[in-house]
Amino acid sequence: MTDGAPAALPPDPVQLADIAVELAGRAGALALRYQEAGLSVSSKSSVTDVVTDADRAVEDFLRTALAELRPADSVIGEEAGAAELTGAPVRWVLDPIDGTVNFVLGLPYFAVSIAAQVHGETVAGCVFNPASGELFRAAAGHGAFLGDRRLTGPRSVPLDEAVLTTGFNYDPARRARQGRVAGELLARVGNLRRLGSAALDLCTLAAGRVDLYYEGPLHEWDFAAGLLIATEAGVATSGLRGRPAGTHMVAGAHPERAEEFFGLLTELGVADIG
């Protein structure tokens, strides 16, 4: 910047959310075309951690589109890793298909997840389920929406009436420990759902379709957009033991139930599994 020149304005979260929405719709349509044509499936970290040719094609599409629209930005995605640029105004966090196992099996609970970060903070996000056509979006300070409906978070009900959703790790030993904790939780909450997409689980919480959520460890692309949508809907979130929600743990609840729920998770050792 030269002397006397005005400082560059920070990126507008609403405009970034609009980009995410537009690209998510096109990416979702591409994913469905691959699904209809027949998928090529392989595994990554374990036999249960699967990837398809659609995952890679969708991420390639998103990276190419972002390079055209915003060439100065950085990108990190599940399949191709990071393309970090020094001084980039925005960092995009991509999960081309969150819930790949559901996608492969034809279960209609998977999503394209796109988040935009400025100075390490997520300021815009979109989670799109191509199977249902539901599109969740948020821009920091502007609320969260499902289509045109503003989201206001989960119910405030006693834990023994609350419906909880969670997910399990691909590593068999860690998954076994998570299963034991989930079994203990079943005796303390109303019921449990395991739906298969962290991004959509957070949106489902934001929409009030479930009352509680926890999962960890996670990758940033699993939760970045969904976490913003949940917090913009008024969900209280935590990483447990005084930490903010992040890669180690993401937990969420109605603010009136958060302290009790987070305390229960800590008591049962959820924060120690990762």
Side-chain angles (χ1 to χ4, degrees), residues 219-241:
H219 295 288
E220 192 171 14
W221 49 75
D222 294 319
F223 67 84
L227 181 60
L228 177 68
I229 291 164
T231 54
E232 284 291 320
V235 175
T237 64
S238 174
L240 305 183
R241 299 193 186 282

Side-chain angles (χ1 to χ4, degrees), residues 81-131:
E84 303 284 9
L85 299 174
T86 302
V90 175
R91 181 178 187 249
W92 294 90
V93 184
L94 311 176
D95 195 335
I97 302 176
D98 188 56
T100 301
V101 171
N102 287 348
F103 178 65
V104 170
L105 294 175
L107 296 171
Y109 196 83
F110 57 89
V112 178
S113 177
I114 303 173
Q117 298 177 336
V118 177
H119 302 307
E121 297 293 327
T122 302
V123 299
C126 173
V127 176
F128 175 54
N129 181 345

Side-chain angles (χ1 to χ4, degrees), residues 15-202:
Q15 291 179 355
L16 296 176
D18 288 344
I19 291 172
V21 166
E22 196 271 331
L23 293 183
R26 293 167 61 191
L30 177 61
L32 290 181
R33 290 199 295 272
Y34 269 83
Q35 188 182 52
E36 292 165 3
L39 299 169
S40 173
V41 184
S42 57
S43 58
K44 296 191 289 186
S45 64
S46 75
V47 294
T48 58
D49 182 11
V50 298
V51 63
T52 72
D53 51 345
D55 292 82
R56 297 187 177 100
V58 170
E59 184 166 321
D60 287 347
F61 159 74
L62 291 171
R63 287 175 177 271
T64 299
L66 286 169
E68 293 173 354
L69 290 169
R70 296 188 58 87
D73 292 351
S74 290
V75 179
I76 182 171
E78 179 173 11
E79 306 308 334
E84 303 284 9
L85 299 174
T86 302
V90 175
R91 181 178 187 249
W92 294 90
V93 184
L94 311 176
D95 195 335
I97 302 176
D98 188 56
T100 301
V101 171
N102 287 348
F103 178 65
V104 170
L105 294 175
L107 296 171
Y109 196 83
F110 57 89
V112 178
S113 177
I114 303 173
Q117 298 177 336
V118 177
H119 302 307
E121 297 293 327
T122 302
V123 299
C126 173
V127 176
F128 175 54
N129 181 345
S132 68
E134 290 190 322
L135 189 147
F136 300 86
R137 73 185 194 280
H142 294 271
F145 296 84
L146 168 55
D148 294 328
R149 178 169 69 88
R150 192 180 188 102
L151 301 179
T152 56
R155 304 176 300 171
S156 175
V157 296
L159 295 192
D160 61 4
E161 299 176 16
V163 177
L164 162 73
T165 186
T166 188
F168 302 115
N169 196 263
Y170 293 117
D171 176 74
R174 180 175 281 162
R175 191 165 62 241
R177 294 194 298 273
Q178 291 173 326
R180 287 192 291 270
V181 169
E184 294 183 59
L185 274 168
L186 270 172
R188 309 281 286 272
V189 300
N191 215 322
L192 184 147
R193 300 288 184 270
R194 195 279 196 257
L195 300 172
S197 164
L200 280 176
D201 284 352
L202 283 160

